[in-house]
Amino acid sequence: MALIVALTGCVSRELGPRPIAVPAAVPAAELSGLTLRVGDQKGGTEALLRAADALQGLPYRIAFSTFTFGPPQIEALNAGRIDVAITGNTPPIFGAAANSKTRVVAVWDGAAAGEQILVRTPSTINTVNDLRGKTILVGKGSAAHGDLLEHLSDAGLKPKDVKLVFLQPADALSAFANGQGDAWAIWDPYTAQANLTLKVRSLGSALNGYQFASASAKALNDPQRNAALADLLVRYDRAAQWARDHPDEWARKYSAAVGMSLPISALAQSRLRRLPVPLDDKVVAAEQRLADLFASADQIPEAPDFVKWVDRRFNGVLADRPHDVTTTRR
């Protein structure tokens, strides 16, 4: 939401951003003087790339910047402080709603299992319908926020039918562990931490398990940065494949990177599959539904026409990568 406050006005569905032309190709040999600025979260992109040795032979340099979760990364992209970041499904919607100078450029599926609505084991809340009048802890503008809105909508509830308390994940974990809130909408590894350290059960996992790579418009306009982005996305895809093929090794390295126990790390990463899918109309439709729900909940001024913040230039690059996974599409 800070991004929406920072920018003046709101986006009109009729106007939106202008398309960005794809610049001329640049050979890898000409990228040696470039530093690509990558937004990250602890245990995220950098940890995965290094664990998989996917940065070997890098023809440019990378400067990683660590953020607490997705929304600040979109804000940094819009401000030109970073070039690319991988987030959950909701931050790009808030960026589009604020007419941010960003574009979604790649998508992975398979995060849904780790995004859950948790209640305490003794709770009388057994279904989403039972959340009426209850207090729910959630990170504002996070993937869990969007997941919660979808579940409420499918149960015939509106956001005003519950009490939302917006907290960042670490604060929400502490609050929920100390008896505050009736339910908690959260994502891994915090879900796994709660599953293994608290007496909780789940009302359901996410309906939209997409994760997105978003890039700044400035980076997409720049021939060198555009070329580096294409290379980085292929390396990330390769690293994700390595993690699926070596779950035990990845869990150990992830545990060391985030400072969580191995059981928590292994559970969290077993549910985060990072399955490559095309950035197609099905993905756009799923995101548009989220955007419409956020607008109906008065969390954004107006639902943007999400497709206008989608740039499919890298679909062909990633489609050329062989994968051993068949993805079931929603």
Side-chain angles (χ1 to χ4, degrees):
M1 290 298 286
L3 178 59
I4 293 179
V5 174
L7 298 178
T8 57
C10 64
V11 61
S12 167
R13 293 191 70 153
E14 289 73 25
L15 297 178
R18 295 180 179 179
I20 302 173
V22 180
V26 176
E30 296 181 13
L31 301 179
S32 59
L34 174 68
T35 298
L36 190 68
R37 302 165 301 170
V38 179
D40 198 10
Q41 298 178 50
K42 191 174 182 180
T45 304
E46 181 179 11
L48 179 62
L49 289 168
R50 294 197 185 283
D53 288 328
L55 297 179
Q56 296 295 324
L58 197 69
Y60 48 89
R61 294 182 296 276
I62 294 181
F64 290 99
S65 299
T66 303
F67 296 81
T68 53
F69 66 140
Q73 291 176 279
I74 301 298
E75 183 176 356
L77 282 170
N78 182 68
R81 296 196 300 271
I82 58 175
D83 300 312
V84 62
I86 295 174
T87 73
N89 55 34
T90 297
I93 291 171
F94 275 68
N99 203 17
S100 67
K101 302 179 183 69
T102 63
R103 300 291 187 277
V104 166
V105 295
V107 58
W108 296 267
D109 200 359
E115 298 171 5
Q116 301 179 14
I117 302 173
L118 301 176
V119 296
R120 297 177 189 83
T121 301
S123 173
T124 58
I125 300 171
N126 295 309
T127 68
V128 174
N129 300 73
D130 297 331
L131 291 173
R132 184 184 296 272
K134 304 300 184 182
T135 299
I136 307 171
L137 312 181
V138 65
K140 196 169 194 176
S142 67
H145 192 179
D147 173 44
L148 178 60
L149 292 183
E150 286 199 296
H151 276 290
L152 291 175
S153 177
D154 288 351
L157 298 176
K158 298 183 182 298
K160 67 180 181 181
D161 295 325
V162 300
K163 181 181 179 182
L164 300 183
V165 175
F166 296 119
L167 292 173
Q168 290 204 23
D171 296 330
L173 173 63
S174 176
F176 198 66
N178 286 294
Q180 299 177 45
D182 299 299
W184 180 25
I186 190 56
W187 62 92
D188 270 329
Y190 302 99
T191 312
Q193 190 172 4
N195 292 153
L196 297 181
T197 63
L198 303 177
K199 294 180 179 180
V200 297
R201 52 188 171 81
S202 175
L203 297 183
S205 56
L207 305 174
N208 174 335
Y210 294 127
Q211 292 186 311
F212 292 96
S214 293
S216 70
K218 184 177 180 180
L220 293 171
N221 270 314
D222 180 85
Q224 287 190 320
R225 294 187 186 280
N226 183 72
L229 284 171
D231 177 78
L232 180 68
L233 291 174
V234 171
R235 290 172 185 270
Y236 182 85
D237 202 24
R238 187 185 306 144
Q241 181 71 59
W242 173 87
R244 292 191 296 272
D245 292 341
H246 303 84
D248 295 338
E249 185 178 354
W250 168 229
R252 288 194 298 272
K253 291 184 176 182
Y254 176 81
S255 175
V258 299
M260 288 185 172
S261 72
L262 183 56
I264 291 173
S265 299
L267 177 58
Q269 291 307 305
S270 72
R271 299 189 293 211
L272 181 54
R273 301 292 291 155
R274 302 180 184 88
L275 302 172
V277 295
L279 187 50
D280 60 16
D281 292 344
K282 289 184 179 181
V283 173
V284 172
E287 289 297 286
Q288 189 63 55
R289 186 197 184 204
L290 281 179
D292 294 341
L293 286 171
F294 274 109
S296 297
D298 294 325
Q299 294 298 305
I300 54 178
E302 182 182 359
D305 188 3
F306 189 75
V307 70
K308 295 178 180 178
W309 278 265
V310 170
D311 190 311
R312 309 185 201 213
R313 69 180 64 188
F314 298 124
N315 266 5
V317 174
L318 295 174
D320 291 338
R321 282 268 302 126
H323 301 101
D324 64 1
V325 179
T326 300
T327 304
T328 301
R329 298 301 308 277
R330 291 173 178 78

